[in-house]
Amino acid sequence: MSRLVVVSNRVTLPQKSGDAPAGGLAVALQAALEERGGIWMGWSGKSSGAKEPAPLAMQTHGNITYALTDLTKTDVEEYYHGFANRVLWPICHYRLDLAEYGRKEMAGYFRVNRFFAHRLAPLLREDDIIWVHDYHLIPLAAELRQMGLKNRIGFFLHIPWPPADVLFTMPVHEEIMKGLSHYDLVGFQTDHDLANFAGGLVREGIGEALEGGKLTSYGRTFKGGFYPIGIETAAFADYAKKAATNLIVRKAKQSVEGRDLIIGVDRLDYSKGITQRLDAFEHFVKSNPGHHNRVTYLQITPKSRSEVPEYEQMQRTVAEQAGRVNGAIGTVDWVPIRYINRSIGRPVLAGLYRLARIGLVTPLRDGMNLVAKEYVAAQDPENPGVLVLSRFAGAARELRGALLVNPYDIEGTANAIARGINMPLEERQERWGRMMEHLLEHDVTRWCNDFLRDLTAA
């Protein structure tokens, strides 16, 4: 069996005792690496300042070698904060208004990918299978091919891929498309993302779709596929069941006694639709006086990318909005919105999901959204909650038992909240059962195996 080499912007190192459990993606990749033996390479998250980064920091645990590199301050600014998160991220989430193009940042993005390739190449064997993850590293295969490597290389995009009219607003869209043609397998979250990619190739006249999921572009033939990422469903359900004894979860349960809990969990990001969600909750409460003092909305929103100005501004906006709504509709003994601006460990989160009557997952655009899947997995089969899910999340293509909403439609989302809270037990169980059956079958291990099977056959 060939070794597996995983390359991603950030690397999840093995856990030390007492650490919070790793996420499902890390668990699945580590299991695949452990089985095949291999390397996981990525950025250490640290900057070497103005100095050239030191050699790769290598550590081996079992069958896996972890290889971490620092980046210079300029590299971090231009590659990570610049092109990756201020051009590719907004464009892929359909936010043309937030994309900031700069030739310096574009050059930095390609330069860092070249740097990654030169650091990775000496570690590789001829028969290694290479799996590259996400939008930070799109040009990596092209750089490796330029160095003469003929290994099988696969790419998986965790975020959405936009339609041609959106993508083509990016000045270097052709270089990005050409970069993807150097992979043997290009994987997306949904069939819509794959169709957008293939459609862009055809429309631009730089490629065509062949039979069997194959695509041809820039003189290369490669496979395109969609692989909806899952979670570690059974393990997460177990976390939720055991969390009933957790002190934080017990305190949360006591504090909402007699009220229905609505939960939202999102990284602070403009793609998540948090402000529209707060508006929808306010509309729901105002339109349903019978639920005054009988619902609590818990929004957990860890900070992210605070170095990017849009995120700092958003943090202020969301906090001010939550405060305004609480001031407008709250009472002396009722704070309608609890807004938490920090991370909560996954086992505790699983317990909070299980307490919630409504899981409110309403991104404006999302590649998949694993919170939706975690919420479903955490439910009590005897008394499950209701998932209210944006139709623009990739998860909406799979979770047919959710109440699908348009997050831009504030009144429609408010009505879905009301419907979910008042939904009879029998309907809740039927909807949940369908979704849970799907998630148990299509978990993160299945996702990992399906992708690697197709890449190995490429």
Side-chain angles (χ1 to χ4, degrees):
M1 187 184 286
S2 299
R3 282 196 320 172
L4 175 62
V5 177
V6 172
V7 191
S8 57
N9 180 58
R10 298 299 293 273
V11 174
T12 304
L13 291 171
Q15 292 174 267
K16 298 168 186 166
S17 61
D19 285 355
L25 172 62
V27 169
L29 290 178
Q30 282 170 338
L33 283 161
E34 190 65 50
E35 180 188 354
R36 293 167 170 265
I39 299 167
W40 192 345
M41 183 201 164
W43 176 35
S44 64
K46 298 173 186 172
S47 168
S48 61
K51 296 178 186 173
E52 192 65 24
L56 282 171
M58 313 278 281
Q59 49 179 288
T60 300
H61 297 265
N63 257 353
I64 310 171
T65 298
Y66 297 87
L68 302 177
T69 183
D70 295 348
L71 294 174
T72 66
K73 184 180 178 186
T74 301
D75 287 342
V76 174
E77 285 305 313
E78 294 176 2
Y79 150 79
Y80 182 70
H81 296 311
F83 190 77
N85 285 318
R86 297 183 82 169
V87 179
L88 283 174
W89 178 271
I91 289 287
C92 287
H93 288 86
Y94 299 56
R95 291 299 303 270
L96 305 183
D97 56 316
L98 294 177
E100 295 183 21
Y101 307 106
R103 291 196 179 279
K104 188 174 66 171
E105 285 75 19
M106 291 179 194
Y109 176 76
F110 288 96
R111 181 183 68 247
V112 169
N113 271 272
R114 193 171 310 120
F115 171 76
F116 265 76
H118 280 274
R119 293 222 144 178
L120 176 64
L123 308 178
L124 297 174
R125 299 175 187 166
E126 278 187 19
D127 66 338
D128 284 346
I129 291 177
I130 305 167
W131 188 0
V132 180
H133 286 263
D134 228 2
Y135 61 104
H136 313 85
L137 299 171
I138 290 172
L140 187 62
E143 296 293 346
L144 291 169
R145 302 289 186 214
Q146 186 75 26
M147 297 169 71
L149 272 80
K150 294 181 168 56
N151 300 60
R152 280 163 293 181
I153 313 177
F155 177 82
F156 184 77
L157 185 71
H158 292 259
I159 65 175
W161 186 265
D165 279 343
V166 176
L167 181 72
F168 293 170
T169 63
M170 183 167 53
V172 289
H173 70 268
E174 196 167 337
E175 287 92 329
I176 294 294
M177 298 284 271
K178 188 174 183 179
L180 287 169
S181 74
H182 286 278
Y183 291 93
D184 298 295
L185 173 61
V186 179
F188 300 92
Q189 294 276 22
T190 70
D191 53 338
H192 288 174
D193 298 315
L194 176 59
N196 285 343
F197 175 69
L201 288 176
V202 173
R203 183 166 154 184
E204 190 74 341
I206 53 175
E208 57 183 301
L210 308 175
E211 289 183 358
K214 291 188 177 176
L215 301 161
T216 181
S217 180
Y218 297 101
R220 279 186 56 84
T221 299
F222 57 100
K223 189 176 188 309
F226 62 96
Y227 306 85
I229 192 169
I231 61 168
E232 72 289 30
T233 310
F236 200 82
D238 197 46
Y239 288 152
K241 197 172 178 181
K242 289 177 178 172
T245 59
N246 181 282
L247 183 61
I248 297 172
V249 175
R250 289 210 321 265
K251 282 184 175 178
K253 186 175 182 179
Q254 288 166 4
S255 72
V256 296
E257 203 67 55
R259 297 190 183 102
D260 289 315
L261 180 64
I262 299 169
I263 193 168
V265 179
D266 309 84
R267 190 171 52 74
L268 186 67
D269 190 277
Y270 48 74
S271 67
K272 300 300 182 184
I274 298 170
T275 56
Q276 290 86 347
R277 194 181 311 164
L278 290 167
D279 286 339
F281 174 75
E282 181 182 17
H283 188 87
F284 157 71
V285 173
K286 286 182 173 177
S287 305
N288 295 273
H291 288 288
H292 279 226
N293 212 345
R294 294 182 62 187
V295 290
T296 296
Y297 169 27
L298 173 62
Q299 177 63 48
I300 300 169
T301 306
K303 297 177 187 176
S304 75
R305 300 178 190 151
S306 50
E307 302 84 353
V308 181
E310 290 84 1
Y311 290 83
E312 282 186 63
Q313 176 57 45
M314 190 183 169
Q315 192 176 319
R316 286 194 296 272
T317 301
V318 173
E320 286 168 8
Q321 188 176 0
R324 180 191 61 73
V325 173
N326 282 336
I329 63 178
T331 59
V332 172
D333 61 342
W334 177 46
V335 180
I337 299 173
R338 299 183 189 179
Y339 176 56
I340 297 175
N341 210 194
R342 58 186 177 82
S343 296
I344 288 180
R346 295 182 83 239
V348 173
L349 207 49
L352 294 175
Y353 286 142
R354 197 176 180 92
L355 293 179
R357 182 63 173 268
I358 300 282
L360 201 49
V361 185
T362 55
L364 305 180
R365 186 72 54 178
D366 219 331
M368 179 49 60
N369 197 296
L370 297 182
V371 166
K373 295 187 174 184
E374 288 175 350
Y375 176 77
V376 172
Q379 295 309 297
D380 176 359
E382 300 301 315
N383 187 25
V386 176
L387 176 63
V388 175
L389 179 62
S390 165
R391 65 187 305 113
F392 304 125
R397 303 289 296 152
E398 296 181 87
L399 300 179
R400 304 297 187 178
L403 296 180
L404 295 187
V405 297
N406 173 359
Y408 295 96
D409 178 2
I410 304 303
E411 189 174 344
T413 305
N415 290 341
I417 294 171
R419 183 181 168 194
I421 280 185
N422 296 313
M423 187 178 288
L425 175 61
E426 193 176 332
E427 184 181 351
R428 284 190 277 129
Q429 287 175 326
E430 190 274 328
R431 286 174 174 272
W432 173 81
R434 273 190 287 149
M435 293 189 289
M436 190 61 175
E437 185 180 350
H438 177 86
L439 293 181
L440 284 166
E441 185 180 346
H442 298 87
D443 65 0
V444 71
T445 302
R446 162 89 178 260
W447 165 81
C448 190
N449 291 341
D450 285 353
F451 187 94
L452 288 174
R453 178 200 64 217
D454 287 358
L455 178 55
T456 303

